[in-house]
Amino acid sequence: MTQRLAGKVAVITGATSGIGLATARLFAEHGATLFLNDLDRDNLTQVAAQLGARAIPGDISRMADLDALYDVVGTEAGGIDIVMANAGIAEFARVEDVTEELFDRIFSVNAKGTYFTVQKALPLLRSGAAVILTGSIAAVSGVPGMGVYTATKAAIHNYARGWTAELAPRGIRVNVVAPGIVDTPGLRVPGQTDNYDAMLDQMVSAVPLGRIGVPEDVAKVALFLASGDSGYLSGSVIFADGGMAQV
């Protein structure tokens, strides 16, 4: 197998489960030197040990934690070729039930955390680096109970457009992978676990390709965006959604 990321230094946030974990595994297979970040310290330590990666636990909504992350990367690697700003949270409430605390919590992690994950990486990003943001089909659709979450993902999609214009002189590319329905731990909403199979069957009916995604489906898109194969792509959103948002 050709290692498409050999010699590259990659930072992945939200790396202990779902899309982040699948991407970390795939990047490791393709030769990347990995620096992994997540709130879940114990799982992060285990994942990093399995992949031969460096674990730096932390909360992306806390500036001190991001500074600590990049201090380690800068000291140990000297520069970064790939940043995948993947960490995020999803909490659902109808518009009349959203509290200020819920609103602030989701925006603090998804919108603010993603923004500063990239901003604070800038001094270390090498010319030609790839920035990958994890968006969502929710950014372009209306879903009851997801108004705050969808707004944060729409912000992330627009970060890619603005940053593409700003960072192009350095040769830095910024793109979004926007998953559809993906079978991750985050999909198992508390209170619905007992009806999970029935819920999945209902979801599948909305996907043109006839199945929900798995984390590896999204990881393969991230690998494409991280590699030279996407060298003429920037400011783009690639929907890994089985066609759900396209028809």
Side-chain angles (χ1 to χ4, degrees):
M1 180 184 73
T2 301
Q3 291 193 317
R4 295 161 69 184
L5 303 180
K8 302 294 186 181
V9 174
V11 174
I12 302 174
T13 64
T16 64
S17 66
I19 291 166
L21 176 58
T23 301
R25 286 173 173 160
L26 191 58
F27 281 16
E29 289 176 16
H30 281 268
T33 297
L34 294 176
F35 291 83
L36 304 181
N37 167 269
D38 201 282
L39 263 177
D40 190 337
R41 180 183 296 268
D42 291 340
N43 278 343
L44 182 64
T45 299
Q46 294 176 16
V47 168
Q50 292 167 3
L51 299 180
R54 182 69 158 89
I56 307 104
D59 180 346
I60 65 165
S61 70
R62 293 174 53 86
M63 299 301 100
D65 287 6
L66 287 174
D67 289 337
L69 166 64
Y70 291 120
D71 283 347
V72 172
V73 178
T75 298
E76 297 186 8
I80 300 172
D81 302 290
I82 303 155
V83 171
M84 184 169 180
N86 170 72
I89 60 173
E91 296 184 43
F92 308 117
R94 298 186 68 87
V95 61
E96 63 269 23
D97 297 322
V98 171
T99 64
E100 182 179 7
E101 290 75 17
L102 182 147
F103 185 96
D104 288 345
R105 185 164 57 248
I106 297 174
F107 263 85
S108 182
V109 175
N110 294 1
K112 173 186 156 187
T114 297
Y115 192 99
F116 287 100
T117 294
V118 176
Q119 187 213 63
K120 288 179 176 291
L122 290 179
L124 294 173
L125 287 179
R126 298 186 174 108
S127 176
V131 174
I132 305 159
L133 312 178
T134 300
S136 172
I137 62 168
V140 296
S141 59
V143 182
M146 294 180 66
V148 179
Y149 173 79
T150 60
T152 64
K153 291 300 183 178
I156 287 169
H157 287 207
N158 278 285
Y159 290 164
R161 298 181 178 99
W163 291 341
T164 289
E166 290 188 41
L167 301 179
R170 292 179 56 184
I172 296 171
R173 300 180 298 108
V174 186
N175 292 291
V176 178
V177 56
I181 301 168
V182 179
D183 189 2
T184 67
L187 191 63
R188 300 173 187 268
V189 180
Q192 294 185 0
T193 302
D194 293 341
N195 300 315
Y196 189 66
D197 290 340
M199 181 180 71
L200 289 188
D201 288 342
Q202 183 178 13
M203 289 179 174
V204 165
S205 67
V207 182
L209 289 187
R211 68 173 179 87
I212 66 167
V214 294
E216 290 74 17
D217 291 321
V218 184
K220 290 172 185 175
V221 178
L223 175 62
F224 167 69
L225 292 174
S227 75
D229 293 341
S230 60
Y232 198 54
L233 209 64
S234 195
S236 294
V237 178
I238 297 182
F239 289 92
D241 65 350
M244 189 175 178
Q246 316 311 315
V247 299

